[in-house]
Amino acid sequence: MDRLKANSKQRAVIDVQGVVQGVGFRPFVYRLATQFKLSGWVRNTSGKVEIEVEGKKSDLTEFLRQLKTNPPPMAYIEYVGTTYSTPAGYPDFRIRASVSLKNNYQLVSPDIATCKDCRNEIFDPDDRRYHYPFTNCTNCGPRFTIIEDIPYDRPKTTMRAFKMCRRCEQEYNDPLNRRFHAQPNACPDCGPQLELVDAAGKPVKCTDTFWKAAELLKAGKIIAIRGLGGFQLACDATNANSVNLLRKRKHRPSKPFAVMVATTSDVKKHCSVSTDEINLLESPQAPVVLLRWNNKKSGIAREVAPDLKYLGVMLPYTPLHHLLLREVGAPLVMTSGNLSEEPIAKDNDEALHRLKGIADYFLLHNRGIYARYDDSVYMVEESEQVTLRRARGYAPYPIHLPFKSKQILACGAELKNTFCLTRDDHAFISQHIGDLENAETLEHFEQTIELYKRLFRIEPEVIACDLHPEYLPSKYAARIAIENKLPLLPVQHHHAHIVSCMVENGVETPVIGVAFDGVGYGTDGAIWGGEFLVMDWHDFRRIGQFEYVPMPGGAAAIKKPYRMALGYLYGLLDDGFSLEGLPMAKLNANETAIIKQQIQKRINCPLTSSVGRLFDAVAALTGLTYESTYEAQAAITLEMQAPDKFGRGKIITYPWSFETQNGVTVIKLKELFSAIVDEVRNGVAVSEISLKLHRTVAQITVDMCSRISLQTGITQVALSGGVFQNRLLLKLTTDGLRQADFQVFTHRLVPCNDGGLSLGQAVIANFKESKSSLIFP
Ligand SMILES: [Zn+2]
Ligand SMILES: [Zn+2]
């Protein structure tokens, strides 16, 4: 009887959703169906993959099991729906033409690093793709950067400019080939080509482009390389002169550069790496990973990442990079092809114009880049991947929301901008857009919003933005809200930070939010950044904060941390305080006198509670760093001074006190600064001061959370804000909170810095209207 049932024929009608297009899914289905002798068809629609298969019940069951458990490497299945009916009598199994359905959408695959099979081909002299820099297959290569609309088919990508040759077409049409329906499929006969030109755009005569480019790099030249999502600037990372020249030309005096290293075993020559870090480096996403740098033993120039313990390292992720790295035989600096703070250049003419004066040569190609796409940056903490910059390999893959969302556009922060568009249970956070401080980046921001709206068929019902009215994204939000007659919801910066952390951890119940960052606009008009919030997705109450201190000159105090140090010293300490005996006494006496007056008379001195500024100020007070040429440089330099190994004995901290003002517990810092001033005057080592400051801030956090927990009963703490990129502080704080029996949530999938803000904004905007807050009835 059972046997009879198993042999009876049935038809299964299957829907598959997720990243299932452009990743070799239909050939996989075809092979699987053929293997089980099932007939029917598979096709892409703009919403999903549809499959009908018929055959023996037992074969259908096994087909479905393998479909779910063994998909191609780049596929990500979110949902499989199956219904059964009577067989339709299909004679064979076919791949049907794609169908575009109105208002449907699908997930789009990120660009993926070159797979092993393709790598083998480009290094095999007998292969027809030997040394061909645009080799790819369904398991690897460009996706998001070339797609203009859905469904994902060649005519809707920038590859439509290239007509496949006979051999490529055969591969493309052969369901058993690895290149079946690989939209960017190409070969030396029919695909994109590389060209090496000089700074004037004149072709460089050579027989082998890679050999010539490598020769130039080894001679110390800077080459602009058109990569996957835009141009990169490359130079020999072991040549200090080249690195310095690149810094000078790019107007980037000390912000660290990332390096590309040929192989994992080469990485080990320069850095200490854990298994988790190797796995991340070698993953299909192949991001930049911050690794512990053995800079004394490494041949990589110190100038690549001055004063830092960590080096941003990535492996080659396109055939072009593999071929170039192999030829050069040394690690290359590989940094975004832009002048500081502009968006990355993506087109040939644009690069020749904008990178003029920076690059000596240009390695160009003629495969169009539709979307700009920077390298992603990650670190591994406690064996988990932590996102610092989310772009290549990750975006536009969405974050899953634990609820069905309205269609919302959240415009994000001004620095490290990303935006977020929501639909259903998907939050599409854009790739890293950059600092929205100039017209070029704003244009990039607006174009990318339009691309995401089109790809994912989203028409926003609500516009969210930061509370800061002067942020460019906030101004954009206000403008389009008026133009489209949509509600505009400004969201407080730190509320958004913490909600972003809650959502990616699936936490809905109230938390104590600890938001430490550099600058965020507060509801009282002050600059917040050292905040303890009792909150949920709907609302928040500020229940604790670091004491307000004057920030002499406002933004000037961010770039010049000594101004901030003076803000703490003259703002908090007794009137008779003088700089005598401190390294800062050597600063220009006229300037410090003017700043002192500015502070005492409160002229252009906005108030701030920022923890980022606290670290900056201590860095300056110790004489370590007086100016920051990149965001948080002083604070980062101070973090780097702390010893790597320290005992677990009695924790020594600086003194501080709590004071309650209008229901808010304020952390008073006068005693802390007096103590540090004494230590600096007494010549205590900066490393000791640094560690003690980190421990103090961690202990303040634990004590404050314990007080709040006593009042509210809340035992969940979420940590967010750019300050938690500080690995030492993150570790000391999470350890301390866990020892005090708190459940601690930190970021993994989205950055704790302002790059993660848009997600929080979108979620808050979704719930703002409803009145179901758990803590604020
Ligand atoms: Zn491949
Ligand atoms: Zn071809």
Side-chain angles (χ1 to χ4, degrees):
M1 187 70 184
D2 276 356
R3 202 189 153 89
L4 246 174
K5 249 189 196 164
N7 279 326
S8 68
K9 285 207 169 185
Q10 270 194 322
R11 174 165 57 134
V13 179
I14 305 163
D15 278 351
V16 190
Q17 289 172 23
V19 176
V20 285
Q21 298 192 12
V23 291
F25 200 77
R26 287 173 303 171
F28 156 70
V29 172
Y30 181 95
R31 279 193 295 271
L32 206 57
T34 316
Q35 185 189 331
F36 289 104
K37 300 190 175 61
L38 302 173
S39 58
W41 52 267
V42 56
R43 70 175 181 189
N44 283 347
T45 75
S46 21
K48 56 201 172 191
V49 168
E50 293 175 349
I51 307 168
E52 286 199 16
V53 276
E54 53 192 39
K56 277 197 296 187
K57 178 83 208 279
S58 55
D59 289 337
L60 287 177
T61 308
E62 189 54 21
F63 171 86
L64 268 165
R65 194 187 67 78
Q66 293 217 21
L67 183 84
K68 290 176 193 164
T69 56
N70 200 20
M74 285 329 302
Y76 182 86
I77 295 177
E78 284 192 315
Y79 167 81
V80 179
T82 314
T83 53
Y84 292 94
S85 63
T86 49
Y90 297 119
D92 51 12
F93 193 87
R94 291 189 185 178
I95 295 175
R96 287 192 176 174
S98 301
V99 194
S100 181
L101 299 174
K102 208 169 179 282
N103 204 34
N104 266 355
Y105 71 110
Q106 75 204 13
L107 303 185
V108 172
S109 169
D111 291 24
I112 293 305
T114 310
C115 73
K116 198 157 174 282
D117 292 332
C118 288
R119 276 193 330 253
N120 289 339
E121 287 173 352
I122 60 168
F123 288 117
D124 175 2
D126 294 329
D127 193 280
R128 72 188 191 97
R129 288 189 173 83
Y130 179 62
H131 277 202
Y132 182 58
F134 305 97
T135 303
N136 66 80
C137 71
T138 47
N139 298 325
C140 73
R143 295 288 184 280
F144 172 64
T145 55
I146 60 168
I147 181 170
E148 296 173 13
D149 203 350
I150 53 169
Y152 172 67
D153 280 323
R154 192 150 167 140
K156 289 185 174 167
T157 71
T158 61
M159 280 301 289
R160 68 171 165 271
F162 302 94
K163 189 175 162 18
M164 273 183 277
C165 68
R166 192 181 46 80
R167 283 204 279 181
C168 283
E169 193 131 9
Q170 269 170 9
E171 295 166 340
Y172 184 89
N173 289 320
D174 176 3
L176 298 176
N177 193 287
R178 181 170 118 247
R179 297 199 162 91
F180 177 74
H181 281 240
Q183 305 306 344
N185 187 27
C187 79
D189 294 336
C190 65
Q193 299 296 332
L194 207 59
E195 188 181 25
L196 182 66
V197 304
D198 66 15
K202 232 176 70 224
V204 175
K205 285 211 178 69
C206 56
T207 47
D208 184 321
T209 313
F210 288 108
W211 185 87
K212 185 68 191 171
E215 188 190 56
L216 292 167
L217 286 164
K218 284 188 275 191
K221 301 294 182 195
I222 295 166
I223 302 188
I225 297 169
R226 194 178 194 204
L228 207 51
F231 276 81
Q232 292 170 310
L233 289 161
C235 74
D236 181 352
T238 63
N239 182 336
N241 290 334
S242 296
V243 177
N244 281 330
L245 189 65
L246 178 59
R247 290 204 169 283
K248 212 173 121 212
R249 291 182 182 172
K250 204 169 140 66
H251 302 306
R252 181 160 153 160
S254 40
K255 190 177 178 185
F257 287 133
V259 294
M260 189 177 272
V261 180
T263 63
T264 306
S265 54
D266 287 335
V267 173
K268 290 176 184 165
K269 292 178 195 159
H270 305 284
C271 300
S272 311
V273 274
S274 67
T275 313
D276 295 311
E277 287 167 335
I278 290 172
N279 290 340
L280 185 53
L281 283 167
E282 293 180 346
S283 69
Q285 289 77 20
V288 172
V289 184
L290 297 186
L291 301 175
R292 175 61 68 148
W293 184 15
N294 304 323
N295 70 69
K296 295 221 169 63
K297 281 189 277 174
S298 155
I300 293 173
R302 194 71 183 100
E303 287 79 357
V304 169
D307 303 322
L308 303 186
K309 289 175 184 173
Y310 300 97
L311 187 65
V313 178
M314 63 186 140
L315 293 174
Y317 56 83
T318 68
L320 193 160
H321 291 120
H322 279 288
L323 293 164
L324 188 63
L325 264 288
R326 170 84 60 108
E327 202 65 50
V328 175
L332 292 178
V333 164
M334 203 58 86
T335 185
S336 309
N338 57 4
L339 202 61
S340 289
E341 316 316 335
E342 282 182 5
I344 180 168
K346 72 179 176 69
D347 300 324
N348 290 339
D349 291 344
E350 178 195 5
L352 284 167
H353 172 69
R354 278 178 47 204
L355 304 179
K356 204 185 178 97
I358 303 180
D360 301 304
Y361 293 89
F362 292 78
L363 200 47
L364 306 177
H365 66 71
N366 55 350
R367 185 175 72 199
I369 297 172
Y370 194 72
R372 291 172 211 273
Y373 208 39
D374 286 273
D375 292 320
S376 294
V377 183
Y378 275 70
M379 62 183 185
V380 175
E381 277 293 326
E382 294 183 333
S383 293
E384 289 209 66
Q385 303 176 2
V386 179
T387 309
L388 298 174
R389 183 164 86 181
R390 191 173 176 276
R392 178 177 54 76
Y394 299 90
Y397 192 68
I399 302 291
H400 281 268
L401 297 172
F403 57 88
K404 280 245 173 194
S405 177
K406 294 177 195 165
Q407 298 198 2
I408 291 169
L409 167 64
C411 296
E414 184 159 83
L415 298 181
K416 296 189 165 70
N417 177 273
T418 63
F419 61 81
C420 179
L421 278 158
T422 56
R423 177 180 180 168
D424 304 326
D425 58 348
H426 291 140
F428 296 96
I429 302 178
S430 71
Q431 74 269 33
H432 167 84
I433 302 285
D435 296 347
L436 288 193
E437 292 178 315
N438 52 54
E440 290 84 0
T441 327
L442 190 65
E443 196 186 320
H444 171 29
F445 169 76
E446 296 197 30
Q447 283 170 354
T448 313
I449 289 177
E450 291 309 315
L451 173 64
Y452 275 66
K453 278 169 63 180
R454 188 164 69 245
L455 289 181
F456 305 116
R457 305 292 195 250
I458 297 176
E459 269 313 317
E461 308 157 59
V462 181
I463 310 293
C465 66
D466 193 86
L467 196 58
H468 199 313
E470 294 304 314
Y471 275 1
L472 283 184
S474 305
K475 289 181 171 173
Y476 166 85
R479 177 164 61 78
I480 58 156
I482 290 171
E483 280 173 13
N484 298 287
K485 300 191 176 60
L486 295 172
L488 175 71
L489 190 87
V491 177
Q492 203 281 322
H493 194 90
H494 303 93
H495 187 209
H497 264 312
I498 301 293
V499 170
S500 169
C501 178
M502 291 171 74
V503 168
E504 73 156 274
N505 285 289
V507 180
E508 290 179 58
T509 44
V511 299
I512 301 168
V514 179
F516 292 170
D517 66 357
V519 185
Y521 195 77
T523 50
D524 57 359
I527 298 165
W528 293 11
E531 313 308 318
F532 295 83
L533 313 174
V534 168
M535 53 169 282
D536 60 14
W537 294 350
H538 306 258
D539 214 341
F540 73 97
R541 204 161 287 169
R542 188 194 205 192
I543 207 158
Q545 64 163 104
F546 277 76
E547 165 170 32
Y548 278 139
V549 289
M551 206 173 154
I558 299 174
K559 293 210 162 116
K560 297 180 172 171
Y562 65 87
R563 298 181 78 99
M564 205 56 235
L566 295 171
Y568 281 94
L569 298 171
Y570 293 129
L572 300 181
L573 303 186
D574 300 324
D575 281 350
F577 173 78
S578 109
L579 291 174
E580 216 180 293
L582 293 169
M584 280 177 56
K586 292 198 192 82
L587 289 169
N588 181 321
N590 282 334
E591 194 191 351
T592 49
I594 291 168
I595 297 170
K596 182 178 177 182
Q597 276 203 354
Q598 194 180 4
I599 292 162
Q600 284 168 342
K601 294 182 182 161
R602 292 285 193 268
I603 303 163
N604 187 19
C605 280
L607 293 175
T608 187
S609 53
S610 160
V611 173
R613 298 287 87 79
L614 170 65
F615 278 88
D616 272 3
V618 174
L621 180 54
T622 60
L624 190 65
T625 313
Y626 292 139
E627 303 212 17
S628 285
T629 64
Y630 61 91
E631 202 192 350
Q633 183 181 356
I636 292 168
T637 312
L638 186 68
E639 178 197 350
M640 295 301 135
Q641 290 294 316
D644 293 331
K645 292 201 170 66
F646 42 85
R648 293 212 162 258
K650 185 172 155 40
I651 294 169
I652 301 164
T653 61
Y654 291 113
W656 77 89
S657 56
F658 287 131
E659 195 179 290
T660 303
Q661 302 168 356
N662 308 321
V664 178
T665 305
V666 178
I667 301 142
K668 306 290 278 184
L669 298 171
K670 181 179 175 178
E671 299 140 291
L672 179 142
F673 267 86
S674 302
I676 298 180
V677 165
D678 286 347
E679 287 192 354
V680 176
R681 281 194 176 126
N682 291 330
V684 174
V686 179
S687 59
E688 206 171 305
I689 294 173
S690 171
L691 177 61
K692 207 160 147 187
L693 180 71
H694 280 84
R695 285 181 149 159
T696 306
V697 174
Q699 193 58 46
I700 288 173
T701 307
V702 175
D703 289 4
M704 182 70 97
C705 288
S706 302
R707 283 168 81 108
I708 297 171
S709 185
L710 276 178
Q711 292 168 34
T712 60
I714 301 173
T715 56
Q716 300 186 119
V717 179
L719 307 178
S720 189
V723 166
F724 286 108
Q725 292 171 105
N726 179 325
R727 299 169 88 154
L728 176 59
L729 184 67
L730 179 67
K731 179 161 176 42
L732 293 173
T733 308
T734 44
D735 284 357
L737 286 167
R738 284 184 190 135
Q739 274 164 27
D741 288 331
F742 284 102
Q743 193 182 5
V744 186
F745 300 101
T746 59
H747 284 279
R748 294 284 178 263
L749 306 176
V750 299
C752 66
N753 60 46
D754 282 5
L757 208 68
S758 57
L759 173 64
Q761 290 175 350
V763 173
I764 293 166
N766 189 70
F767 287 97
K768 201 65 190 177
E769 302 303 309
S770 60
K771 295 238 177 294
S772 49
S773 171
L774 296 164
I775 42 170
F776 308 108

